């Protein structure tokens, strides 16, 4: 089959000779992929920043498809079902899944004690091949895969596998109250969705900070937010303090993660020398821009083992910090309702569509932020097969 093939940092190729996935457990399903996306966190893999990303791996944790085969134990799916597949691989029965912490499943990932299993996200995420391929094996097929509702656009469905629930949970973790001022660091797909959902929780003011003018303009139109370029500020923290009567924002959300720009020390130690697990610049700004007693929500991806963080400011300001991988399955019912009721149309963030055969060009364009790209979609050659 055709699939993307990781050959090392900045080296990706389409490979027509990848082996077809097989049923390995009675609760597996084989899904023929019809749509997949490239995520900003895939770029962390592409850039060589995630430990144990092995040559030969297929990325992709955001995909929809058609069930082609099921294991003998699968009860909730049948061949021919159109499904969206959450990026969390969750067993559904461990103590954490029972708490609806599907991103922390204790059974899906033997390689980590903190995070659960994810499709296409290095061996730190369990070593599962992902959906930037024609076919993929889906473990625990009775747990997370969800039949796409009749009438739902498939491009909206594929965004329900990660971007929409991740943005929603980022806002939810912020504990946003009616009348709050919310600052979102990062105007990528997750930041855009987070800013849009901040209004759903009652925010009175939403501010987005980024360094790319085209993404900031997109934030103004899609998320109805104020949007500012930190490259035009002497100090983003001082700017935000002034913008909030020197109190600070009620909620600050780090939607950037380990590849943030803006602080030389963080960039050198986190991206250049790899002395820490990425650059915690956006997190620093969030901690220093939030009000005393405020909440910082972390949804941007950071890897193990540690980062340089402003612990003294966190303690002395009485800040609450919340973060996790999105529990997609928990959030799907309400988010499906939001889409089907027309309250949000997530596919508006998809700016570029590529055949899977052009996956190398798609990664290069997304990495370099060419042609005002926001979110790239991949379409496998068998997407429309009977």
């Amino acid at each position: 089959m055709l699939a993307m093939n990781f050959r090392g940092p900045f080296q990706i190729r389409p490979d027509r000779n990848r082996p077809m996935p097989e049923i390995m457990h009675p609760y597996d399903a084989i899904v023929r992929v019809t749509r997949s996306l490239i995520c900003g966190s895939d770029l962390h893999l592409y850039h060589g920043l995630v430990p144990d990303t092995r040559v030969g791996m297929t990325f992709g944790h955001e995909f929809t498809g058609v069930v082609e085969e099921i294991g003998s134990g699968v009860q909730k799916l049948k061949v021919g079902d159109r499904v969206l597949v959450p990026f969390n691989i969750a067993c559904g029965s461990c103590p954490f899944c029972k708490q609806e912490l599907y991103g922390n499943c204790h059974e899906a990932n033997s390689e980590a004690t903190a995070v659960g299993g994810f499709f296409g996200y290095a061996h730190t995420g369990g070593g599962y091949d992902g959906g930037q391929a024609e076919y993929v094996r889906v473990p625990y097929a009775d747990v997370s895969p969800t039949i796409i509702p009749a009438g739902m656009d498939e491009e909206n469905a594929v965004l329900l596998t990660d971007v929409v629930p991740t943005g929603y949970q980022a806002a939810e973790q912020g504990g946003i109250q009616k009348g709050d001022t919310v600052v979102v660091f990062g105007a990528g797909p997750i930041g855009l969705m987070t800013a849009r959902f901040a209004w759903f929780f009652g925010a009175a003011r939403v501010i987005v900070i980024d360094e790319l003018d085209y993404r900031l303009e997109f934030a103004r139109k899609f998320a109805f937010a104020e949007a500012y370029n930190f490259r035009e500020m002497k100090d983003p923290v001082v700017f935000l303090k002034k913008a909030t009567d020197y109190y600070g924002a009620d909620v600050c959300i780090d939607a950037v993660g380990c590849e943030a720009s803006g602080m030389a020390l963080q960039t050198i130690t986190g991206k250049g020398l790899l002395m820490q697990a990425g650059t915690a610049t956006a997190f620093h700004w969030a901690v220093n821009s939030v009000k005393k007693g405020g909440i910082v929500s972390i949804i941007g991806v950071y890897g193990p083992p540690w980062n340089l963080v402003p612990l003294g400011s966190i303690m002395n300001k009485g800040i609450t910090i919340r973060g996790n991988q999105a529990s997609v399955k928990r959030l799907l019912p309400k988010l499906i309702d939001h889409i089907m009721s027309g309250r949000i149309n997530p596919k508006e963030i998809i700016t570029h569509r590529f055949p899977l055969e052009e996956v190398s060009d798609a990664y290069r364009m997304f990495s370099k932020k060419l042609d005002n790209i926001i979110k790239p979609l991949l379409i496998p050659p068998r997407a429309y097969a009977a």
Side-chain angles (χ1 to χ4, degrees), residues 190-203:
I190 300 300
L192 291 167
M193 204 63 65
T194 300
R196 180 69 175 270
F197 278 126
W199 300 112
F200 285 48
F201 287 86

Side-chain angles (χ1 to χ4, degrees), residues 32-34 65-68 79-82 135 381-386:
R32 172 169 53 84
V33 178
T34 52
V66 178
V67 177
E68 293 279 297
V79 172
D81 282 343
R82 294 173 61 247
Y135 297 90
R382 294 180 182 164
Y384 303 103

Side-chain angles (χ1 to χ4, degrees), residues 1 27 45 113 149 180 196 213 215 218 242 311 340 342 349:
M1 69 170 181
Y27 297 105
L45 303 169
T113 58
D180 277 356
R196 180 69 175 270
D213 286 333
R215 300 207 310 185
F218 203 99
K242 288 181 178 179
L311 192 58
M340 299 304 286
I349 72 167

Side-chain angles (χ1 to χ4, degrees), residues 4-60:
M4 73 81 72
N5 187 334
F6 176 69
R7 307 309 301 164
F10 297 93
Q11 298 181 59
I12 278 175
R13 72 184 186 204
D15 185 347
R16 295 184 179 278
N17 296 307
R18 300 288 286 175
M20 285 284 292
E22 299 178 351
I23 297 289
M24 299 176 65
H25 188 278
Y27 297 105
D28 287 350
I30 304 299
V31 171
R32 172 169 53 84
V33 178
T34 52
R35 296 290 188 279
S36 62
L37 297 163
I38 301 176
C39 183
S41 55
D42 289 330
L43 295 182
H44 305 330
L45 303 169
Y46 179 64
H47 295 156
L49 296 176
V50 179
D52 208 8
T53 305
R54 302 183 187 180
V55 169
M57 189 167 192
T58 295
F59 300 163

Side-chain angles (χ1 to χ4, degrees), residues 229 250 268:
N229 191 326
D250 298 286
I268 291 168

